[in-house]
Amino acid sequence: MTAPSPGQSPNWQSWTRQIASPAVPFYALPWLMLLLVLGTYAQKDLGLYTAQKMFFSAWVFFLGPIPLPAGYSILAVISASLLVKFLFHSPWRRDKAGIIISHLGVLVLMIGGLLTGLTQQEGYILLGEGQRAKAQSDYHQRVVTVSKDGRDFLSLPFENLHTGEKIGGLPFTFSITDTCSNCRPVSAPTDERRHGLAEQMKLIAAPPEKENEANLSGITFTVSGTGETQDGTYVIMEEVPHAPTITHDKNIYRFSIGRAQRELPFTVELKNFRREFHPGTDTPRSFESDIVVHDGDIAWPYTIRMNEPLRYKGYTLYQSSFSVRPDGEYSILSVVTNSGRVFPYLASALIFAGLLVHLLLRLGARKS
């Protein structure tokens, strides 16, 4: 039995022993495995992103009206139990050094998982041969952009927009009429107060796609205070190139919606894209991209293959897919930043070292 630390009351020791009890991970781990099964099964109907957010990247999820602990809650409980066990109830003796090192490795692994969950960002770059990219597109976040004379003037996160909301910062009134996370265009009734694409179509909400990146978001908005010929209703939608423009006081305002952009500390240029198929099929066997990385005055080539990513300045670029469009083939590179990337390697090394030390100490004790 471990003696109480100086200044540590018996009540405090009893409380920490309950937290550090093996019963905590014993009951928490089966629930975590159940979440894994539920989340995997839900992917079929909800898609990977929604299922992950619901079961794993959340503190609670709801089974009907009943709140239940989700991934963050379970991992927090297990981490707290391991931390208290390590700090207050570990057998700090030489013959238990291997166990202590192994426990430290598990804690490092949990800390790395937390850091990854809080800081990891994922995006993608879509490049045709000869094109360059200085920014990555977010898979999930959308942004409504208002440009003034060709320069970005307002940037509005799509998820923060609400029906009936009036957007400030413009010399005329810009009001949100409706939003849809996944829109379907339908024929619009003839109305002289509808302009641009809104003359031909209106947007209605469609069921969300399984994968969030496949949804096409859009908004319907009204403008007033720009004159009779421009006041009225407009629509914008992802991947629809005809963005409405408003002229006011000799300035041209352009409205568009698209994926949120995050700037890279370097530029990627695609020189060549290649793909190979399995014999006699249209199924790709492999695809790769010959790129040039431009960083200031430095430029150097690299080939990104399916299992050979590029790692540079904390960013990892993977060859994830490709797209065939009327104007040619496009390479799709996934871009991942993960501040906790080194932690699994460090944790694995500590756990291995701890097990090795424990084995050597046991062998030495047997010989003596």
Side-chain angles (χ1 to χ4, degrees):
M1 180 174 179
T2 305
S5 301
Q8 184 177 340
S9 68
N11 288 338
W12 170 263
Q13 187 182 32
S14 175
W15 183 71
T16 56
R17 279 196 177 280
Q18 292 181 19
I19 297 176
S21 170
V24 174
F26 178 81
Y27 288 107
L29 286 174
W31 183 258
L32 193 62
M33 289 186 283
L34 178 61
L35 285 178
L36 180 62
V37 173
L38 292 174
T40 303
Y41 181 78
Q43 288 180 25
K44 182 182 69 172
D45 298 317
L46 302 178
L48 176 61
Y49 179 74
T50 303
Q52 177 183 336
K53 288 292 184 183
M54 178 181 295
F55 293 100
F56 307 117
S57 301
W59 292 98
V60 296
F61 74 96
F62 288 87
L63 184 62
I66 304 173
L68 295 172
Y72 281 170
S73 299
I74 302 302
L75 291 176
V77 168
I78 295 174
S79 299
S81 179
L82 291 174
L83 182 61
V84 172
K85 170 70 175 177
F86 180 78
L87 293 178
F88 300 108
H89 299 287
S90 290
W92 296 97
R93 303 193 305 269
R94 179 180 177 277
D95 61 322
K96 299 296 183 180
I99 296 176
I100 294 173
I101 295 173
S102 297
H103 285 177
L104 177 61
V106 175
L107 279 173
V108 170
L109 185 63
M110 302 294 285
I111 293 171
L114 174 63
L115 188 61
T116 295
L118 294 176
T119 64
Q120 179 171 290
Q121 292 183 330
E122 296 182 355
Y124 69 94
I125 298 174
L126 180 69
L127 283 174
E129 292 184 355
Q131 294 182 347
R132 296 188 180 193
K134 179 63 177 174
Q136 58 174 312
S137 301
D138 194 276
Y139 276 112
H140 310 293
Q141 295 180 350
R142 274 75 169 175
V143 174
V144 174
T145 302
V146 182
S147 64
K148 178 181 178 181
D149 297 330
R151 296 185 178 182
D152 289 350
F153 186 70
L154 285 179
S155 183
L156 310 168
F158 173 77
E159 60 269 19
N160 294 344
L161 299 179
H162 304 287
T163 300
E165 181 180 2
K166 292 186 177 181
I167 308 299
L170 291 168
F172 49 85
T173 303
F174 171 34
S175 303
I176 306 299
T177 303
D178 195 13
T179 68
C180 45
S181 298
N182 190 33
C183 302
R184 181 166 62 90
V186 297
S187 298
T190 303
D191 186 345
E192 62 181 9
R193 292 186 57 81
R194 299 180 70 89
H195 305 285
L197 288 175
E199 293 180 297
Q200 306 168 9
M201 69 180 192
K202 64 178 182 179
L203 303 180
I204 63 173
E209 299 290 340
K210 292 181 181 180
E211 303 302 333
N212 188 41
E213 56 265 32
N215 291 325
L216 296 177
S217 303
I219 67 169
T220 304
F221 64 94
T222 60
V223 168
S224 60
T226 61
E228 293 184 2
T229 59
Q230 296 185 116
D231 286 357
T233 300
Y234 298 82
V235 298
I236 54 176
M237 182 177 171
E238 279 188 89
E239 298 192 7
V240 175
H242 303 289
T245 58
I246 299 292
T247 302
H248 187 271
D249 289 340
K250 298 182 180 180
N251 296 313
I252 299 176
Y253 297 85
R254 184 177 182 271
F255 300 80
S256 61
I257 183 172
R259 308 297 174 101
Q261 301 290 304
R262 293 193 295 270
E263 189 170 349
L264 296 169
F266 52 88
T267 300
V268 179
E269 179 185 5
L270 179 64
K271 288 295 186 181
N272 186 33
F273 174 73
R274 297 181 298 276
R275 55 181 173 139
E276 297 180 2
F277 297 92
H278 289 285
T281 71
D282 293 331
T283 304
R285 182 175 64 183
S286 66
F287 33 93
E288 57 189 42
S289 300
D290 295 329
I291 66 167
V292 176
V293 178
H294 299 270
D295 189 357
D297 296 330
I298 302 173
W300 47 279
Y302 192 86
T303 299
I304 301 178
R305 298 182 176 88
M306 294 175 64
N307 296 316
E308 298 180 22
L310 165 68
R311 292 185 171 91
Y312 185 59
K313 285 192 170 181
Y315 292 81
T316 305
L317 277 66
Y318 298 91
Q319 181 68 69
S320 62
S321 186
F322 64 92
S323 176
V324 180
R325 302 189 175 190
D327 56 342
E329 293 181 336
Y330 286 78
S331 176
I332 301 177
L333 303 175
S334 293
V335 183
V336 178
T337 53
N338 179 10
S339 301
R341 182 173 64 89
V342 71
F343 280 78
Y345 302 102
L346 178 60
S348 299
L350 285 171
I351 294 172
F352 174 78
L355 294 175
L356 181 61
V357 169
H358 181 68
L359 176 61
L360 294 175
L361 289 175
R362 292 295 297 272
L363 291 175
R366 287 184 178 182
K367 290 181 179 180
S368 61

